Amino acid sequence: MSIRSTTRVPRIRQMATVRGHRAGLPATRARHTDRPGHDATGGDTVPGAVELHARNVSFDWADTPLHWIPGHPVCANYISVLNMLLPEGERWFVRTFNEALPLVKDAELASAMRGFIGQEAMHAETHDKALWEVLERHGIDPRPYQLQMEWVFRKILAPTDSSDPRAQQKHLVERLWLIAAIEHFTAILGDFALNNRWTDVGADPNMVDMFTWHGAEEVEHRCVAHDVATYFADGYFRRARAMLVVTPLLLLLIRRGFVFIMAQDQTLSLNRFQRSLAIWRGVRATVMPNMFATAYQSFSYFRPGFYPDEIGSTAQAVAYLASSPAARRAP
C-alpha cells in the first residue's frame, strides 16, 4: 500500500491507496483522515497513523446499580440495552471478518482488520459480563432477548449454504456492507459517549468507563469496515441499500430491548408518556443520545463522497483510551 500525506488547513489528510487482486474485482481506494481533537491539556492535536489493537480491559461490577445514571433511571435502562444487543452482533462482526480476512491481499488493510477483530471480540466479552453481572443480578432475565439476538445474528445473517463460490462471495459482500452501515451508527454513538455528561451527574464510574472506552474504540476504528467493504465491492447502491436495511433494524432491536428491560424492572412503574418524558429529560441533560437525531445523522451515509472519518475525532478517542482507567489497567 502506498501512502501519501498532504498538509491542509485546518487538518491533516492522509490518503492511502488500497490495492489488491480479488476474483475479478477492481482495486479500490480507502482514505484515512484524522480531524483535530483535544489532548489532555485542551490543545488541538492530530495523531499520526493509529495501529489498532485490542485492550484487555476488565471491570468490577459488584457495586454497579441497575440505574447507573443518578436521576435518570429510564435512560440508564435504555442505554443498558446495548449490553444485551452488542455481544451477539459483535461476535457476528468477528466471524464475518475472519471469513473475509484470508481473501484480503493488502497487508495494511489485513492488519487493520486483525486489530478490528481483536477490539470487537473484547467488546463482546466485556458487554457479556456486564449483562450477567449487572442486569441479571438486579432481576433482569436477558435470556429471551438473547435467544432472539442469536437467531438474528447466527441464523438470519449466517453465511449462505450455497456451494457456488460466486454466491458465497456475493453473500459475504452483502454482510460486509451491513457491518459498514452498523459501524456508522456505532461511530455516532461512540462520539456521544466521548462527549456526554455522565460523569457530571455522578454516573457509576465503571459503567461510564466501559461505554466510553467502547465508544472511543468505535471512533478509533470507524473507517475499517467501510474500507473492507469497498475493497471487496465498492458502489453507492450497495452502501445505500445496506443503510436502508440497517436503520430500521437497529432502531427496532434497541426499542424492543428497552421495552423488555422496562417490563422486568420492578422498581419503575411508568406509562408510555412518563417514559418518553424521562427520555426527553435525559436528552436535554446530555446523558442520553437523541435517537431521532442519531437516525437523522445517519443520513450522511447516503451522501456521495461520504467517508466515516467525518464522524468523531481520532485524537479525542486516542486521548481517552490513554487515560481510561480500565485501559490503563490492561496488561
Side-chain angles (χ1 to χ4, degrees):
M1 176 179 288
S2 61
I3 298 179
R4 180 185 62 191
S5 298
T6 58
T7 302
R8 296 182 180 179
V9 179
R11 64 183 183 175
I12 295 176
R13 169 160 294 183
Q14 293 178 306
M15 300 185 67
T17 302
V18 179
R19 305 185 188 278
H21 300 285
R22 312 174 301 285
L25 298 175
T28 61
R29 172 164 295 183
R31 298 175 298 165
H32 302 279
T33 306
D34 293 329
R35 297 195 290 170
H38 298 284
D39 60 21
T41 62
D44 288 340
T45 179
V46 180
V50 176
E51 182 177 352
L52 300 178
H53 65 279
R55 297 165 177 87
N56 191 22
V57 300
S58 61
F59 298 89
D60 181 2
W61 301 115
D63 298 322
T64 298
L66 177 63
H67 303 146
W68 53 275
I69 308 176
H72 298 276
V74 174
C75 294
N77 282 352
Y78 205 114
I79 297 170
S80 290
V81 171
L82 297 177
N83 289 321
M84 300 195 303
L85 171 62
L86 291 175
E88 280 301 319
E90 286 166 326
R91 290 179 184 123
W92 174 64
F93 289 1
V94 170
R95 291 193 297 270
T96 306
F97 266 50
N98 276 328
E99 180 184 348
L101 185 57
L103 305 176
V104 175
K105 306 305 180 183
D106 183 273
E108 189 169 343
L109 184 60
S111 177
M113 290 176 68
R114 285 189 286 269
F116 178 94
I117 289 168
Q119 290 186 347
E120 295 294 346
M122 182 55 63
H123 296 169
E125 179 181 340
T126 302
H127 285 284
D128 201 46
K129 289 181 178 178
L131 171 66
W132 298 106
E133 296 179 23
V134 178
L135 290 181
E136 188 186 42
R137 179 163 53 85
H138 288 287
I140 308 297
D141 180 11
R143 291 172 182 82
Y145 187 87
Q146 265 208 322
L147 289 174
Q148 295 174 15
M149 295 307 98
E150 288 182 8
W151 179 75
V152 169
F153 290 105
R154 299 187 188 187
K155 300 296 184 181
I156 300 301
L157 296 174
T160 180
D161 293 330
S162 174
S163 59
D164 183 353
R166 290 176 297 181
Q168 294 173 358
Q169 176 89 0
K170 180 180 179 180
H171 197 268
L172 174 61
V173 167
E174 296 297 333
R175 283 178 285 133
L176 290 172
W177 271 114
L178 289 176
I179 292 174
I182 295 171
E183 281 290 298
H184 180 54
F185 268 96
T186 59
I188 294 171
L189 294 176
D191 190 43
F192 170 82
L194 286 164
N195 294 286
N196 61 58
R197 297 186 62 245
W198 290 336
T199 301
D200 295 343
V201 300
D204 178 76
N206 280 318
M207 199 65 80
V208 169
D209 189 31
M210 181 191 69
F211 279 118
T212 312
W213 153 76
H214 185 167
E217 289 197 343
E218 291 298 328
V219 171
E220 183 185 40
H221 70 222
R222 64 198 182 283
C223 299
V224 176
H226 182 87
D227 288 347
V228 173
T230 56
Y231 178 90
F232 278 83
D234 198 1
Y236 179 81
F237 175 72
R238 287 187 175 91
R239 171 157 58 95
R241 182 176 58 184
M243 183 55 76
L244 287 173
V245 172
V246 161
T247 299
L249 178 62
L250 274 182
L251 294 178
L252 173 64
L253 293 179
I254 292 172
R255 178 66 184 177
R256 187 176 183 85
F258 173 64
V259 172
F260 179 83
I261 290 181
M262 291 298 293
Q264 295 193 62
D265 187 349
Q266 300 301 311
T267 66
L268 296 176
S269 181
L270 305 174
N271 58 38
R272 182 174 297 182
F273 173 77
Q274 290 170 320
R275 294 178 185 182
S276 298
L277 181 61
I279 291 173
W280 176 80
R281 287 183 53 249
V283 171
R284 287 288 301 271
T286 323
V287 298
M288 170 76 191
N290 186 327
M291 298 308 293
F292 292 105
T294 299
Y296 178 78
Q297 192 174 0
S298 72
F299 292 160
S300 63
Y301 202 74
F302 294 98
R303 190 181 69 253
F306 168 82
Y307 191 68
D309 62 4
E310 299 173 18
I311 305 297
S313 164
T314 301
Q316 184 186 26
V318 170
Y320 182 82
L321 292 169
S323 63
S324 161
R328 289 173 65 88
R329 289 193 304 267

